[in-house]
Amino acid sequence: MLVKKRVFRMAGAVAIGILLSCTSGSAQEKRLTAREVVARIQQRVGVPWQTETVDTFKAGDPDTPVTGIAVTMMATMDVLERASAAGDNLIITHEPTFYNHLDKLDQLDEKENDPVLAAKLAFIAKHNLVVWRFHDHWHRHKPDGIVAGMVHALSWNRYQDAKNEYLFNIPETTMEKLAADLKAKLSTHAMRVVADPQQKVKRVALVPGASGFAGETRALEMPDVDVLVTGEPREWETVEYVADAVTQKKGKGLIILGHIPSEQAGMEECTRWLKTFVSEVPIEFVPTADPFWKN
């Protein structure tokens, strides 16, 4: 009788073990993949998904189970190392990873054998990372996700034009004071300014990133715009245009934040947004370091 009870208990224990094993295996099979995270983003972004877009996977296997998500402005080597060390294997980046807009691996003379590119690719492969870019559709989001984050960081919500999210009516100040305020709030240390320091400023156009000469001058041509705040204009285009306007005493100014500082807060905004519909894995904002020396 005692032997039968022992056999029964052992059989029960084995059955429970098998059940737990199956449950555990089932849970692992259901773990969120990078592809599934992106599918949720596509469903929630609020604009039709374009077929012609840079918002695609750049490295890694999209079907990799996600252990953590790192959201960043640019997937630099430094960002990849910090994200991997924190246990994040899905990197959502706003800007290119491989040194050109389309992330093509053949743009360098040595192509994938270039020592810098090769080292980056090897790190991604070794640590089983997946890199996905979120640029076009985050800008198309209503409101523009990058601008929304910058407005939040600058506390400019109450100054934003109701008809144009890129224009702001701020309390009157000088160019010098505005530049100092932006520098402090955005923690940028390589800012450049083209303007009369004592020029009065009330109407601001905020055009983050590198929008190009046409977009930048379109803002400056508005009669009531006093200053354009942007990220990365060409020195022989917009910078020269504003320098001439200053000499001509047109009452125009230009504040160059640098590409990363001009959009970084927009990806912090993206992190907050992602957390509203992805809860299965940790999500963290990994800021991209300003590459320039402090001067």
Side-chain angles (χ1 to χ4, degrees), residues 22-232:
C22 291
T23 304
S24 175
S26 177
Q28 287 181 358
E29 289 173 6
K30 291 180 180 179
R31 207 162 72 181
L32 201 63
T33 67
R35 192 189 303 277
E36 289 170 335
V37 172
V38 170
R40 287 192 196 178
I41 291 172
Q42 292 173 331
Q43 292 166 1
R44 299 293 187 108
V45 73
V47 294
W49 199 261
Q50 305 295 310
T51 53
E52 295 294 324
T53 180
V54 296
D55 296 354
T56 58
F57 286 100
K58 306 302 179 185
D61 181 359
D63 294 315
T64 299
V66 176
T67 56
I69 301 173
V71 182
T72 190
M73 173 61 189
M74 193 177 294
T76 62
M77 195 72 205
D78 172 64
V79 165
L80 295 178
E81 288 176 351
R82 285 188 283 136
S84 178
D88 302 325
N89 67 341
L90 172 58
I91 317 299
I92 296 178
T93 179
H94 186 63
E95 295 298 1
T97 303
F98 301 120
Y99 322 121
N100 64 89
H101 184 57
L102 298 178
D103 282 296
K104 292 184 177 180
L105 300 179
D106 60 357
Q107 299 300 290
L108 295 161
D109 284 348
E110 296 186 48
K111 300 180 172 54
E112 292 182 47
N113 292 322
D114 175 89
V116 175
L117 175 58
K120 196 170 194 177
L121 289 169
F123 184 89
I124 290 170
K126 178 180 178 180
H127 295 276
N128 198 31
L129 302 181
V130 181
V131 181
W132 182 74
R133 188 174 178 192
F134 190 30
H135 180 275
D136 297 348
H137 296 84
W138 189 226
H139 275 301
R140 292 186 181 121
H141 180 272
K142 303 299 180 185
D144 181 322
I146 294 295
V147 172
M150 295 302 294
V151 171
H152 180 85
L154 294 170
S155 300
W156 278 9
N157 306 68
R158 62 192 182 279
Y159 306 137
Q160 195 166 27
D161 191 302
K163 295 181 180 179
N164 189 327
E165 63 182 319
Y166 302 97
L167 297 178
F168 302 83
N169 296 303
I170 65 172
E172 185 174 296
T173 185
T174 65
M175 185 68 66
E176 187 174 41
K177 290 179 180 178
L178 174 61
D181 184 56
L182 293 174
K183 187 174 184 178
K185 287 180 176 176
L186 301 178
S187 300
T188 179
H189 56 250
M191 176 187 289
R192 292 181 292 170
V193 182
V194 182
D196 174 353
Q198 299 309 312
Q199 176 192 318
K200 300 295 184 183
V201 179
K202 292 176 65 177
R203 183 80 157 165
V204 179
L206 175 64
V207 185
S211 58
F213 183 68
E216 291 155 1
T217 51
R218 190 178 301 119
L220 286 162
E221 286 172 341
M222 294 181 181
D224 57 346
V225 168
D226 303 311
V227 59
L228 168 66
V229 178
T230 191
E232 187 185 352

Side-chain angles (χ1 to χ4, degrees), residues 259-276:
H259 199 124
I260 290 170
S262 79
E263 295 193 298
Q264 179 119 270
M267 293 311 284
E268 191 169 11
E269 179 73 17
C270 181
T271 307
R272 290 189 286 267
W273 176 72
L274 281 174
K275 288 180 178 179
T276 64

